[in-house]
């Protein structure tokens, strides 16, 4: 029965708990002892500091007086060398004595030290006065001052007070040393008890591990069997994912080939329609009546819009498939290049473009980043109310945790946040997501030209750079586009093999 109880895991748990409680109590006692040791060592240091400071001050006073007497007896200025050097440091010695008195463990010590400093100043002043009288040739007055009882009395009081302070501090030092030795003996005993307790704990843990090892061996076989089955499933799933990946890559290539062929096959008839339409418009205007000319104009306009639509759609589809490899790109240079391209449009509208200084250098596709800012700034210039000067502000801002909380792998990169704000016509915030979808327009073609794919291209570019773009606006109060991208990353979702974007259409 006793053997079963001892072999029970609950018995061992109780034993370990008891040992831990005892060990914890010992630990608290050890910590308390160590704190007391530290306090006593600090007090010993303070006592030594007071003793040393007072002794140095005593020696300094003696040296000053010795220099004064030597100079007085011999009239040799060599004796003033040590005198002068000691006067130069005696102020520091007095400050050190005064500071050390604040930490003394003796209640009356600060009063004694204050009186000692007063006597020191009086004695030093008396010595200096004698030396100055001799330098001025007033030997009699100097001798008279020395022969008076003032200097002797000052030194006698100084000496008595010095001995009191030194004796009291040395007595306190002896008390601290005795307490320190007693605490050290106690700490050794405590260490022995703690070591014994720790040994018992180790033995208990060892026994528990021995008991649990049998259960561990039992479950190990089951775990190996489950792991083997899991590895087989993972291998099968990996093969399936590999097939899906190959199929997806093939599908993407087919879509790219389709977009390439479609752009050529659709653009060629459109070129002919526009060419023959232009010939009809220029050569047969007199033959065609007003209705015919209207039909012809509509046909040419539709053909032009169709051509723009095909070009934009092709550009949208090639953001990921035909993007360039990432390299170091200066956003200052990117934005300046875009502003140079839009120079005529900016001048025509007298637009004000404000760009933050010191835009960072990021890893990215330079051509696509130029396209991103070109689309955003062009929209800011285009969607303006009549008679209002466009103002576009491109600002670099700090990125907060809230800004990147919805971004995958946000902790793996350093991020930058750029806002492009304008004072245009704006839009209702309920359309903030809709405007990034392809071919989504909030205004009629007669009001503002375009295919409605520019912002969709912007989103594809930002997503390829592992970032996100959002828009905030209110009707009639402009729009702000916020771009958050990593400083150093690799292209996301790109099977770029060609190296650069082509426009074959």
């Amino acid at each position: 029965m006793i053997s079963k109880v001892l072999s029970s895991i609950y018995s061992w748990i109780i034993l370990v708990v008891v040992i831990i409680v005892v060990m914890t109590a010992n630990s608290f006692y050890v910590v308390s002892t160590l704190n007391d040791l530290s306090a006593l060592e600090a007090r010993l240091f303070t006592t030594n500091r007071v003793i040393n400071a007072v002794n140095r001050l005593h020696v300094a006073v003696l040296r000053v007086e010795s220099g004064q007497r030597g100079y007085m007896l011999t009239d040799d200025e060599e004796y003033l060398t040590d005198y002068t050097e000691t006067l130069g440091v005696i102020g520091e010695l007095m400050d050190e004595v005064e500071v050390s008195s604040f930490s003394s463990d003796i209640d009356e010590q600060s009063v004694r030290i204050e009186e000692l400093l007063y006597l020191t100043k009086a004695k030093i002043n008396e010595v200096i006065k004698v030396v100055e009288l001799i330098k001025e040739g007033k030997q009699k007055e100097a001798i008279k001052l020395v022969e008076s009882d003032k200097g002797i009395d000052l030194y006698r009081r100084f000496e008595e007070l010095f001995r009191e302070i030194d004796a009291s501090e040395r007595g306190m030092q002896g008390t601290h040393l005795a307490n320190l030795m007693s605490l050290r003996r106690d700490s050794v005993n405590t260490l022995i008890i703690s070591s014994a307790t720790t040994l018992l704990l180790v033995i208990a843990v060892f026994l528990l591990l021995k008991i649990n090892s049998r259960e561990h061996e039992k479950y190990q076989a089951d775990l190996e069997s489950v792991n083997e089955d899991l590895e087989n499933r993972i291998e099968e799933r990996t093969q399936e994912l590999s097939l899906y990946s190959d199929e997806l890559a093939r599908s993407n290539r087919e879509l790219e080939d389709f977009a390439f062929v479609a752009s050529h096959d659709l653009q060629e008839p459109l070129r002919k329609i526009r060419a023959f339409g232009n010939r009809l418009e220029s050569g047969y205007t007199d033959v065609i009546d007003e209705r015919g000319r209207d039909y012809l104009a509509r046909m040419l306009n539709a053909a032009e819009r169709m051509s723009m639509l095909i070009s934009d759609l092709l550009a949208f589809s090639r953001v990921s498939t035909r993007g360039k490899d990432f390299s170091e790109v200066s956003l200052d240079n990117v934005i300046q290049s875009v502003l140079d391209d839009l120079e005529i449009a900016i001048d025509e509208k007298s637009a004000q473009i404000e760009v933050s200084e010191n835009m960072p250098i990021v890893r990215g596709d330079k051509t696509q980043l130029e396209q991103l800012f070109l689309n955003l700034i062009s929209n800011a210039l285009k969607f303006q109310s009549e008679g209002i000067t466009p103002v576009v502000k491109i600002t670099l801002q700090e990125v907060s945790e809230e800004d990147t909380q919805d971004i995958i792998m946000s902790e793996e990169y350093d991020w930058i946040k750029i806002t492009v704000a304008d004072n245009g016509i704006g839009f209702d915030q309920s359309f903030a997501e809709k405007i990034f979808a392809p071919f989504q327009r909030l205004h009629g073609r007669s009001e503002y030209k375009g295919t409605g794919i520019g912002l969709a291209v912007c989103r594809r570019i930002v997503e390829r750079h592992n970032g996100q773009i959002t828009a905030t606006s209110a009707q009639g109060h402009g729009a702000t586009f916020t771009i958050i991208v990593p400083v150093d990353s690799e292209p996301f979702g790109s099977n770029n093999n060609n190296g650069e974007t082509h426009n074959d259409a």
Side-chain angles (χ1 to χ4, degrees), residues 70-301:
Y71 177 63
M72 182 177 177
L73 293 172
T74 63
D75 202 22
D76 186 357
E77 293 191 357
E78 284 290 330
Y79 285 96
L80 294 182
T81 301
D82 192 42
Y83 163 85
T84 305
E85 291 177 355
T86 306
L87 284 180
V89 299
I90 200 163
E92 296 178 4
L93 294 176
M94 292 174 68
D95 291 340
E96 184 178 355
V97 171
E98 184 177 10
V99 170
S100 65
S101 68
F102 297 144
S103 54
S104 177
D105 293 331
I106 302 174
D107 295 335
E108 300 177 357
Q109 201 69 295
S110 59
V111 177
R112 293 173 183 168
I113 289 177
E114 184 178 355
E115 185 178 355
L116 182 72
L117 294 175
Y118 170 77
L119 293 173
T120 301
K121 291 179 183 177
K123 180 61 180 177
I124 294 298
N125 289 334
E126 186 262 342
V127 172
I128 293 173
K129 186 175 181 180
V130 171
V131 173
E132 294 300 321
L133 287 173
I134 295 173
K135 287 183 177 180
E136 294 173 2
K138 299 177 181 180
Q139 299 286 346
K140 293 182 179 181
E141 294 182 17
I143 293 172
K144 183 179 179 181
L145 183 59
V146 170
E147 290 178 348
S148 67
D149 294 335
K150 181 179 179 181
I152 297 174
D153 184 57
L154 283 173
Y155 181 75
R156 184 182 300 112
R157 289 165 57 194
F158 175 86
E159 182 73 16
E160 290 175 358
L161 196 56
F162 160 73
R163 294 188 182 283
E164 287 182 15
I165 294 172
D166 185 71
S168 60
E169 289 294 335
R170 291 186 184 278
M172 183 59 69
Q173 187 180 52
T175 301
H176 290 337
L177 282 172
N179 292 335
L180 182 62
M181 295 305 296
S182 175
L183 275 173
R184 285 182 176 175
R185 288 192 298 270
D186 292 344
S187 63
V188 170
N189 295 333
T190 303
L191 182 62
I192 293 173
I193 295 173
S194 299
S195 300
T197 308
T198 303
L199 179 62
L200 290 175
L201 178 61
V202 170
I203 294 173
V205 170
F206 175 77
L207 292 174
L208 284 173
L209 290 175
K210 194 71 175 177
I211 293 171
N212 291 332
S213 63
R214 297 177 182 177
E215 294 292 330
H216 176 74
E217 292 174 359
K218 176 183 177 182
Y219 291 118
Q220 185 68 29
D222 296 338
L223 183 60
E224 290 177 357
S225 176
V226 172
N227 284 339
E228 185 178 354
D229 182 58
L230 184 59
E231 287 175 359
N232 293 333
R233 293 185 182 182
I234 291 174
E235 185 177 355
E236 294 175 1
R237 187 59 177 167
T238 301
Q239 292 176 354
E240 293 178 4
L241 291 175
S242 178
L243 293 174
Y244 292 150
S245 177
D246 293 341
E247 181 66 20
L248 181 60
R250 184 188 62 78
S251 177
N252 285 336
R253 288 195 299 271
E254 291 178 353
L255 287 174
E256 184 182 354
D257 294 339
F258 172 78
F260 176 78
V261 173
S263 66
H264 277 73
D265 290 348
L266 293 175
Q267 288 282 22
E268 186 59 29
L270 283 174
R271 290 193 188 99
K272 291 184 178 180
I273 291 172
R274 294 173 66 186
F276 286 117
N278 289 330
R279 291 181 184 180
L280 286 173
E281 186 178 30
S282 60
Y284 296 89
T285 304
D286 298 337
V287 178
I288 303 175
D289 59 9
E290 186 66 29
R291 179 178 294 180
R293 287 194 292 272
D294 179 58
Y295 289 162
L296 181 61
R298 293 188 181 186
M299 179 188 71
L300 289 174
N301 185 42

